Amino acid sequence: MTSPVDPRSDSAPESSARRHKLILAALVACTLVMVTLALLPLGTGLKVGLVLTVATLEACLVAGVLMHLVEERKLIVSILVLTGIFFVSLLLLPILSEMDHARHFFK
Amino acid sequence: MSAHAHAMTIPHTVEPRPDTGLYNARLGLWLFLASEVMLFGALFSSYILLRVGADTWPQRQLSIPLGTLNTFVLILSSISVVMAWLSLKRKDFGRFKLWQGATVLLALLFITVKSFEYHDKFTHYYVQTRDGREMTGHLEGKPFNLSLARLRALPNPPAEIVFHPDAPAHGPAAGQAAHSEPLRLKLADLVKLEAFGPWRGTFYAIYFVLTGLHALHVLGGILVLGYFWGPGSRMWFTEPERFTNRIEVAGLYWHFVELVWIFLFPTLYLL
Amino acid sequence: MAGTIGSASEHHAPQSFWRRYIFSTDHKVVGIQYGLTALVFLFIGYGLMALMRWQLAYPGQPIPIFGKLLLAVLGPDMADKGIMSPDLYNSFGAMHGTIMVFLAIVPLAAGAFGNYVVPLQIGAPDMAFPRLNMMSYWVYFCGGVIMLVSFFIPGGAAKSGWTSYSPLATVTDAGYLINGQTLWLIGMVFLITSSLLGAVNIITTIIQLRARGLGWMRLPFFVWAQLVTAFILLLAFPPLEAAGVLQLCDNLFDSSFFLPTGLVVGGKPMEVSGGGSPLLWQHLFWFLAHPEVYVLILPAMGIVAEVLANNTRKPLFGYKSLVYSAIAIGFISFLVWAHHMYLTGMGTKISTFFQTTTMLISIPSVIILTTLMLTLWGGSIRFNTPMLFALAFLPMFGIGGLTGLPLGFSATDIHLHDTYYVIGHFHYVVAPGTIFALFAGIYYWYPKVTGRLMNESWGKVHFALSLVFMNLVFMPMFIQGLEGMHRRMYNGGATYAAGPDVAYGLSLALKLNVSISHAAWLLGLAQVPFIINFFWSLFRGKRVESDNPWQATTLEWATPTPPPHGNFLEEPVVCRGPYEYVPDATGRDFLPQNEPGTPPTRQPAPALTPQTQPA
């Protein structure tokens, strides 16, 4: 039984099934869009940007809806935001260090 | 140590704590997932650094159809794992077994496809001959992960090998064209013979580590989800709420595994 | 593991010897296991250094007694004629660092003190995940065994520093597939896994299992410190685990994650694909290793705060500043790591960024140190052994922290990087810093764990000798570093002193090696009273007369001594903050957190200037 403070109360079975069919369709669609974009003759920078944007959208659907993050407690969301900040700095700072190098890097 | 044998209960294993609204395992698993984000983040950061710093970066080295298939497999399994949990919330144990079983089967399918892809890499070879020719292709009989050192160390090393070179690449839209005529190469003429493993280049190295670590997580998921489908499901009959929580938490883990793949797939297969 | 079908969360006190003392899920047993194992590793780590110090003071001379032992156990490649070879020196150096940081200090500070004290201080019956807790300890134990085993395999232990920089870490001992570095990496995976699981446990416990009435701002500062520490471990360790996997691939599967193109080893080009970056390893390593140093210091600050409040008989000064500073340190610590990489050719823009964050993080550190010092003002100080160690922590950590400033600026770091100045700096923070705080914690909580007090006189001897010798060991290192003496030189930099143009300062600096070594060995002897006291007091120590011998306010003193399975006889309800040291009419000067009743009004602090009218 769901506790009184649990925000995810039971929805009616039919709307839940419909919701999941929608999500399934959305995720499949995102994947197909990604593959199509990748096969089009676009410039590298544009292609990377668009494909990763669609991937991020797909990830938000999984995280937000399937993992219930949109209705999750503030505590969990703030832990994930904190993690996100460190994740972004881990992705960015090494490459920024390399690009600011005295010599062209790796040679 | 006192022999006090009174029963001790850990609060909030099942009922949520009022001010946080969480039961312990859900908080614990989200914390674990945060650490996993940093783990895969480090690998993605490595990928970015290695790719940007490389003169050339191999593209279209992996089968897009197979990768797309695996993406659909994981998407389906994400839906089925949520349906399993919803079935338990509606007290339908039979449906739960169905959906949970489907999830495990889909996960096994993912691993099977991945094994096929890995096998393909380890039976694909790069050769370099003494006269400077460099070719990629397959060997007769499709041996697994052969190397020059291993060939030479055989008790009766063959004098020559039969090599089926790949057709030259045409462009991103072209698939695998038919191989051209097989070549007979003398063992003595070979300078290098290696499969497309992590040693081939940083692309292959990061591909194997990223997908390998992801696959290990899938295997872990199979073990946990399978346990809860099988012997662990007995808990439904004694402590249904606690069991439902376990399924929810396992499902969260499974969704994270899918999340990682959502970024792995375009990064390695498409871009 | 047999699945018992019984009530989920009920834990009955286990009966068999194995379940009670070896594979226990009780956080107190796990905490003691961590503590004893960590102390053994502390001893081993010290031993490695003591042997290295002989080579530094008397390069090329056979080591007395232990030289023969090393020769017998490790063979003539490592210790021919009992003299420490360069390879042996390097492996001892790498393992001294690794063992001290990952096998001794962190397990003691977070594993032992965290596991034992935190559930008690928050009024919980145990940790949130007791079985996970047990597993964390045994995974740590396995990691430690793997690290120790590496000394005895062909080639010996890892010898590329605790920092394991590539390509050295891949190229060294490349003749053996499974070499010391491979075992180091596998051991690290075990240790990191143990820490991650422990961090999940501590954070969940603190958030979910606080007793009724124990709001966030009523938590003892020790608990806050452990919470921030656990978050750092949770989020900073995984990149090192990833890096370890990548380096394992380089070592075992000939990949080139960290091997640049065109690498030539021993005159021959390496047969690898190249294309990798040694700097990638450094980024991933330091992403953990910098926050790791805050993991080393925060629990220590937590312990010092508890001991200071208790032995000044007044509340901590600036509790909120302490809490916010600890949180700020935790956050900023993730953004400073490349100050370890100033000499890698980073450009000025990015160096400026890291310098700025490094300077920023010194602000909350100074706030914490200052508030702890201000806590002493107007206090009624009791000079018992835990208090002596806690008091000494303050100036020692001050020296350590201040000497870090020239290292944080890239301009001055150019001269000081990789010299003995760095060694002096970080040892001041960890050795007379953290270790002193850990000693304070041991003397302070020993009566709760065992029901007996450690001997005070010998405790004071231990303290005085340790303080003197710590300073005699590490203070001269600043001079050596400023004169340019490099670290990790197996003959103590004797090569530098060989030439005719050596500056006087450097030759003097090298002479200091002898006095430093003597002081280091005497420091080891100074621990003997502690070791004897620790074990002797278990059987013959003065028994405590109450459950709260230090007359403290926090919840761990509200349990029976030693606490039983489940800790509290009845669920504690907290009604006030953690440091209500206020004298009342009966002469009692403290009010425990869970004791009902209103506290007496606090008298104002003594005036700074003399009053003309008496109150």
Side-chain angles (χ1 to χ4, degrees):
Chain A
M1 87 195 88
T2 42
S3 108
V5 296
D6 189 336
R8 292 162 294 115
S9 44
D10 276 332
S11 38
E14 301 79 30
S15 76
S16 168
R18 191 169 158 270
R19 206 156 151 246
H20 287 107
K21 284 203 184 75
L22 267 174
I23 278 286
L24 177 63
L27 293 175
V28 169
C30 280
T31 309
L32 290 172
V33 167
M34 268 202 298
V35 177
T36 316
L37 277 173
L39 298 174
L40 291 175
L42 299 168
T44 323
L46 184 64
K47 191 183 280 193
V48 168
L50 285 175
V51 167
L52 286 181
T53 307
V54 177
T56 311
L57 175 66
E58 205 175 331
C60 287
L61 284 173
V62 172
V65 181
L66 292 179
M67 293 171 94
H68 302 118
L69 262 183
V70 286
E71 23 187 54
E72 189 55 271
R73 304 306 260 198
K74 212 169 80 135
L75 173 67
I76 304 260
V77 174
S78 37
I79 292 174
L80 291 173
V81 166
L82 183 70
T83 310
I85 295 173
F86 297 143
F87 174 82
V88 166
S89 49
L90 180 58
L91 282 183
L92 280 184
L93 286 172
I95 193 77
L96 286 176
S97 305
E98 287 300 298
M99 288 166 76
D100 194 28
H101 231 267
R103 48 133 184 81
H104 185 65
F105 57 97
F106 288 27
K107 293 243 183 7
Chain B
M1 203 71 53
S2 158
H4 217 60
H6 76 290
M8 172 200 63
T9 330
I10 307 274
H12 312 305
T13 38
V14 178
E15 80 289 355
R17 184 184 159 100
D19 59 351
T20 61
L22 298 164
Y23 57 91
N24 298 342
R26 199 151 102 220
L27 175 59
L29 197 92
W30 274 113
L31 290 168
F32 174 67
L33 292 183
S35 80
E36 294 274 271
V37 166
M38 297 308 291
L39 181 71
F40 283 98
L43 292 175
F44 279 111
S45 175
S46 307
Y47 173 89
I48 294 174
L49 207 71
L50 291 169
R51 178 163 180 174
V52 175
D55 290 331
T56 58
W57 189 255
Q59 287 176 295
R60 299 281 176 271
Q61 297 295 304
L62 305 165
S63 160
I64 294 183
L66 282 181
T68 315
L69 168 67
N70 257 352
T71 311
F72 289 149
V73 166
L74 277 186
I75 290 175
L76 280 171
S77 73
S78 275
I79 303 289
S80 65
V81 86
V82 165
M83 298 304 297
W85 173 69
L86 279 175
S87 310
L88 281 184
K89 287 215 94 77
R90 291 175 200 140
K91 313 280 193 254
D92 190 342
F93 188 69
R95 273 269 143 88
F96 156 76
K97 283 282 230 184
L98 219 69
W99 286 115
Q100 187 84 339
T103 311
V104 176
L105 286 174
L106 286 166
L108 284 166
L109 178 59
F110 179 91
I111 293 290
T112 311
V113 174
K114 203 89 213 92
S115 317
F116 185 74
E117 288 182 277
Y118 273 20
H119 181 87
D120 184 63
K121 285 274 160 291
F122 283 104
T123 53
H124 194 203
Y125 288 90
Y126 164 89
V127 294
Q128 194 184 16
T129 55
R130 225 182 267 276
D131 52 5
R133 272 185 305 164
E134 291 178 281
M135 290 173 289
T136 63
H138 293 85
L139 290 175
E140 190 76 38
K142 289 241 178 153
F144 185 86
N145 198 23
L146 211 56
S147 75
L148 207 53
R150 254 185 292 252
L151 260 182
R152 290 193 177 131
L154 287 173
N156 280 322
E160 49 183 31
I161 57 166
V162 183
F163 189 72
H164 299 262
D166 294 331
H170 296 294
Q176 292 281 329
H179 285 170
S180 37
E181 284 300 307
L183 291 174
R184 307 195 81 86
L185 299 169
K186 289 207 192 27
L187 196 64
D189 283 341
L190 293 179
V191 169
K192 207 178 218 188
L193 169 73
E194 55 186 22
F196 277 81
W199 44 81
R200 238 350 263 148
T202 46
F203 168 78
Y204 301 97
I206 195 76
Y207 162 73
F208 278 110
V209 172
L210 269 170
T211 54
L213 199 61
H214 179 259
L216 276 176
H217 281 79
V218 172
L219 282 170
I222 290 175
L223 286 172
V224 171
L225 293 168
Y227 171 77
F228 285 138
W229 178 85
S233 63
R234 280 181 292 162
M235 193 187 273
W236 171 253
F237 301 104
T238 52
E239 294 171 273
E241 243 195 275
R242 187 166 171 230
F243 184 67
T244 310
N245 287 348
R246 285 191 163 188
I247 299 302
E248 181 184 8
V249 153
L252 280 177
Y253 170 80
W254 189 250
H255 286 127
F256 178 77
V257 170
E258 209 234 315
L259 256 179
V260 174
W261 181 259
I262 286 175
F263 287 102
L264 271 188
F265 171 60
T267 311
L268 294 169
Y269 288 75
L270 301 180
L271 293 174
Chain C
M1 190 169 10
T4 48
I5 305 198
S7 173
S9 29
E10 274 203 2
H11 295 252
H12 294 263
Q15 301 303 320
S16 82
F17 173 83
W18 288 97
R19 291 308 304 261
R20 268 179 83 160
Y21 296 111
I22 311 295
F23 294 107
S24 169
T25 57
D26 187 310
H27 73 101
K28 300 183 289 297
V29 177
V30 173
I32 294 172
Q33 287 176 319
Y34 266 108
L36 293 175
T37 313
L39 285 171
V40 168
F41 278 115
L42 194 66
F43 177 76
I44 295 176
Y46 170 84
L48 295 175
M49 176 278 300
L51 292 168
M52 287 165 71
R53 285 281 2 154
W54 174 272
Q55 172 64 15
L56 287 172
Y58 308 112
Q61 309 244 3
I63 308 173
I65 308 163
F66 295 100
K68 292 209 175 61
L69 186 64
L70 288 172
L71 178 58
V73 173
L74 299 176
D77 285 339
M78 287 292 175
D80 192 27
K81 301 194 192 53
I83 305 169
M84 185 176 282
S85 67
D87 270 353
L88 190 63
Y89 181 89
N90 290 340
S91 60
F92 274 22
M95 296 308 284
H96 166 78
T98 308
I99 288 176
M100 286 307 210
V101 172
F102 294 113
L103 292 174
I105 303 289
V106 175
L108 194 49
F113 284 106
N115 265 310
Y116 196 101
V117 178
V118 166
L120 293 174
Q121 277 196 340
I122 62 172
D126 205 301
M127 296 282 264
F129 308 116
R131 278 178 302 188
L132 196 69
N133 207 15
M134 174 185 78
M135 208 176 86
S136 301
Y137 170 74
W138 286 108
V139 172
Y140 152 65
F141 184 84
C142 288
V145 167
I146 293 173
M147 289 283 188
L148 288 181
V149 162
S150 72
F151 279 105
F152 302 104
I153 62 172
K159 45 183 75 72
S160 307
W162 82 291
T163 48
S164 288
Y165 278 11
S166 287
L168 185 67
T170 301
V171 162
T172 307
D173 291 333
Y176 308 104
L177 186 67
I178 306 289
N179 53 32
Q181 186 65 25
T182 317
L183 288 189
W184 187 93
L185 290 165
I186 296 175
M188 284 306 295
V189 170
F190 274 80
L191 296 177
I192 296 173
T193 306
S194 163
S195 283
L196 285 177
L197 297 175
V200 168
N201 220 339
I202 289 244
I203 298 174
T204 310
T205 304
I206 294 175
I207 293 179
Q208 294 281 103
L209 300 186
R210 281 165 295 136
R212 262 191 301 153
L214 193 54
W216 287 106
M217 287 304 167
R218 283 180 175 174
L219 279 177
F221 180 68
F222 178 79
V223 178
W224 273 111
Q226 290 282 348
L227 181 67
V228 176
T229 302
F231 264 107
I232 296 177
L233 287 171
L234 184 78
L235 298 176
F237 250 136
L240 181 60
E241 191 157 28
V245 170
L246 297 180
Q247 200 179 75
L248 264 175
C249 280
D250 275 5
N251 287 17
L252 296 176
F253 304 126
D254 293 329
S255 58
S256 297
F257 286 109
F258 308 120
L259 303 177
T261 313
L263 187 65
V264 174
V265 178
K268 277 186 353 156
M270 247 187 120
E271 296 231 351
V272 290
S273 68
S277 165
L279 288 179
L280 176 61
W281 166 266
Q282 294 191 28
H283 280 295
L284 293 175
F285 176 83
W286 286 114
F287 187 86
L288 161 85
H290 189 82
E292 176 75 9
V293 314
Y294 295 99
V295 168
L296 298 175
I297 198 65
L298 277 170
M301 288 168 163
I303 296 175
V304 167
E306 299 300 306
V307 173
L308 284 185
N310 177 250
N311 286 301
T312 51
R313 314 309 293 165
K314 63 188 279 283
L316 281 182
F317 182 92
Y319 173 85
K320 280 212 167 111
S321 318
L322 280 169
V323 170
Y324 292 135
S325 296
I327 295 174
I329 285 179
F331 182 79
I332 306 175
S333 72
F334 280 86
L335 303 171
V336 301
W337 77 86
H339 66 224
H340 298 270
M341 297 168 63
Y342 284 140
L343 267 65
T344 59
M346 291 197 305
T348 47
K349 285 195 275 290
I350 202 82
S351 290
T352 308
F353 170 79
F354 282 109
Q355 261 184 131
T356 312
T357 50
T358 306
M359 288 306 122
L360 279 176
I361 203 173
S362 67
I363 298 174
S365 307
V366 170
I367 291 177
I368 291 188
L369 188 64
T370 316
T371 37
L372 290 176
M373 284 179 175
L374 286 172
T375 298
L376 300 171
W377 179 263
S380 177
I381 300 182
R382 306 188 301 195
F383 289 96
N384 47 43
T385 308
M387 185 58 163
L388 288 172
F389 277 110
L391 283 173
F393 171 88
L394 300 173
M396 295 295 102
F397 173 70
I399 294 175
L402 287 173
T403 52
L405 289 173
L407 296 172
F409 286 113
S410 61
T412 41
D413 188 55
I414 291 174
H415 182 65
L416 297 171
H417 178 76
D418 259 359
T419 63
Y420 261 76
Y421 184 93
V422 179
I423 300 190
H425 154 71
F426 69 69
H427 276 96
Y428 255 96
V429 192
V430 183
T434 297
I435 296 185
F436 270 23
L438 297 175
F439 281 143
I442 293 175
Y443 283 98
Y444 183 64
W445 277 302
Y446 191 94
K448 176 49 65 177
V449 177
T450 61
R452 294 178 189 266
L453 291 160
M454 285 178 80
N455 183 286
E456 261 301 300
S457 315
W458 283 112
K460 291 187 163 106
V461 168
H462 172 221
F463 163 74
L465 292 177
S466 298
L467 182 64
V468 166
F469 292 126
M470 285 279 194
N471 282 284
L472 286 177
V473 172
F474 298 114
M475 186 60 76
M477 290 187 181
F478 293 122
I479 302 171
Q480 292 185 315
L482 283 164
E483 286 300 332
M485 179 179 166
H486 236 255
R487 57 189 292 200
R488 292 182 176 146
M489 301 249 116
Y490 88 103
N491 58 7
T495 342
Y496 284 130
D501 299 326
V502 171
Y504 174 70
L506 182 56
S507 64
L508 168 70
L510 295 177
K511 286 197 179 62
L512 287 169
N513 276 331
V514 178
S515 59
I516 293 176
S517 293
H518 291 169
W521 298 323
L522 289 169
L523 178 63
L525 280 177
Q527 308 313 305
V528 170
F530 169 70
I531 299 173
I532 298 178
N533 195 354
F534 188 87
F535 287 107
W536 182 89
S537 304
L538 281 175
F539 306 103
R540 293 271 207 269
K542 180 157 156 262
R543 279 194 200 274
V544 292
E545 274 143 32
S546 83
D547 287 328
N548 189 359
W550 302 117
Q551 296 154 327
T553 52
T554 41
L555 285 178
E556 77 270 30
W557 303 101
T559 66
T561 307
H565 193 60
N567 297 337
F568 297 89
L569 294 176
E570 40 182 58
E571 193 199 319
V573 177
V574 170
C575 8
R576 62 184 62 84
Y579 307 112
E580 289 288 331
Y581 288 101
V582 185
D584 66 9
T586 66
R588 193 172 76 151
D589 66 348
F590 69 102
L591 206 52
Q593 276 192 283
N594 62 331
E595 196 178 284
T598 48
T601 42
R602 184 166 296 130
Q603 295 300 312
L608 287 169
T609 53
Q611 306 275 326
T612 45
Q613 278 279 24

